[in-house]
Amino acid sequence: MNENYKKALFIPCYVRELYPNVVKATILLLNRLDIKVEIPSSFTCCGQPFVNSGEETKLPKRTQKIFEKYDEIIAIGSSCVSFLKSQNVLKDKLFELSEYLHYKGYRNLAKNYPQKITFHHSCHSIRHLHNASTSELNIKPFDKIQELLGCELSFATKDECCGFGGVFSIKEGFISYAMGREKLDDLLQTNPDVICGVDMSCLMHLKGIADKDGDKVEFKHISEVILESVEVEMGKNKKLKNLDKK
């Protein structure tokens, strides 16, 4: 590969501020897989909350300017990716993390994961990025996440929205809670140890409801699940190098 071929990690603003553990897990995972990325220090927000509120913003164009020098951009979550593609920003360069790993041919990265996982498919992930088939389309079912992880996964019976929707959860809090409660009940009926997803926004919403209502279940981003699995496999195979940078 051309030595000038450059990759960047796109960290959504809310993930950076609220979930540094997920940022760390993603960086470590990419290092373990020998995927080298840069993190532009000047990036702040892609502008999605402003556009969804009907406000004008130059943030999508600013995002384009910051990341346009990179050949591939890997994002922690599908929501920002979907939004920027809708704004014709970085369309062919920008990938959500699991989308990118599947595209690069990775499979069965968590095949021996010891806990029972129920996977939450977020709307942007399956309806915009097509990481899995959706119930409203009359097509052959597929699930790239299942192929990527390789472990046994359970799913909600309905692939409906969890009710977060960013600004929607603030403007329509009662409706957002009701949708989230219904989604959480659907996920919990599978008796999971862990509820996993690609978007921390959805997991944040569902965990908030679970904590409020006393539901005992763990929530993990897909990077955390894969990292745990990869590190176990690395411990078993001495030929694998520890790529963690101290």
Side-chain angles (χ1 to χ4, degrees):
M1 181 177 291
N2 189 325
E3 62 180 11
N4 294 321
Y5 196 88
K6 301 176 69 174
K7 302 182 182 72
L9 180 63
F10 180 109
I11 306 173
C13 52
Y14 76 95
V15 176
R16 182 185 64 242
E17 298 300 327
L18 301 177
Y19 298 102
N21 57 304
V22 174
V23 176
K24 180 179 179 180
T26 303
I27 294 171
L28 287 175
L29 172 60
L30 293 174
N31 280 340
R32 297 290 191 265
L33 299 177
D34 203 21
I35 299 172
K36 307 301 183 185
V37 294
E38 296 180 5
I39 304 174
S41 60
S42 58
F43 175 65
T44 53
C45 174
C46 69
Q48 181 177 189
F50 301 95
V51 174
N52 290 351
S53 300
E55 301 290 338
E56 291 187 8
T57 177
K58 296 181 180 179
L59 285 172
K61 291 184 178 180
R62 183 173 184 271
T63 301
Q64 172 80 44
K65 186 175 181 179
I66 292 171
F67 285 94
E68 63 185 359
K69 68 178 180 179
Y70 295 100
D71 299 286
E72 292 178 338
I73 303 116
I74 306 166
I76 307 176
S78 67
S79 180
C80 295
V81 175
S82 172
F83 166 72
L84 288 172
K85 286 179 180 290
S86 75
Q87 302 295 304
N88 294 312
V89 172
L90 305 170
K91 291 189 68 171
D92 298 325
K93 298 182 176 183
L94 185 58
F95 302 84
E96 179 270 321
L97 173 65
S98 65
E99 177 191 25
Y100 179 81
L101 294 177
H102 188 275
Y103 168 68
K104 289 297 183 180
Y106 289 96
R107 300 291 186 273
N108 303 316
L109 288 179
K111 61 182 179 180
N112 296 318
Y113 196 75
Q115 293 179 291
K116 183 178 180 181
I117 297 176
T118 294
F119 200 88
H120 168 63
H121 278 310
S122 50
C123 297
H124 290 97
S125 174
I126 61 174
R127 291 184 167 84
H128 295 177
L129 305 186
H130 309 296
N131 278 334
S133 56
T134 58
S135 57
E136 68 269 16
L137 297 180
N138 186 25
I139 60 175
K140 182 179 180 180
F142 67 90
D143 197 315
K144 296 177 183 178
I145 302 296
Q146 178 73 75
E147 295 175 359
L148 177 66
L149 295 181
C151 57
E152 182 178 351
L153 296 178
S154 298
F155 301 93
T157 58
K158 301 176 182 178
D159 57 358
E160 296 177 347
C161 179
C162 72
F164 177 65
V167 176
F168 173 80
S169 65
I170 299 174
K171 291 185 175 181
E172 301 290 350
F174 290 110
I175 298 175
S176 176
Y177 168 80
M179 293 174 68
R181 183 68 257 178
E182 183 176 355
K183 170 59 72 173
L184 184 58
D185 287 339
D186 198 353
L187 294 166
L188 290 175
Q189 56 85 25
T190 64
N191 296 313
D193 298 312
V194 175
I195 294 176
C196 180
V198 305
D199 282 287
M200 281 310 301
S201 51
C202 297
L203 297 182
M204 173 177 65
H205 179 57
L206 293 169
K207 185 178 187 303
I209 293 172
D211 290 347
K212 176 180 180 295
D213 294 349
D215 297 296
K216 304 300 181 183
V217 65
E218 195 171 2
F219 291 82
K220 290 184 180 180
H221 186 260
I222 192 170
S223 63
E224 296 176 293
V225 166
I226 297 178
L227 177 63
E228 290 174 22
S229 302
V230 167
E231 290 191 327
V232 168
E233 292 302 314
M234 289 178 67
K236 293 178 181 178
N237 188 347
K238 295 182 180 179
K239 292 181 180 180
L240 289 173
K241 293 170 60 179
N242 186 330
L243 300 173
D244 188 5
K245 292 184 178 180
K246 302 298 184 182

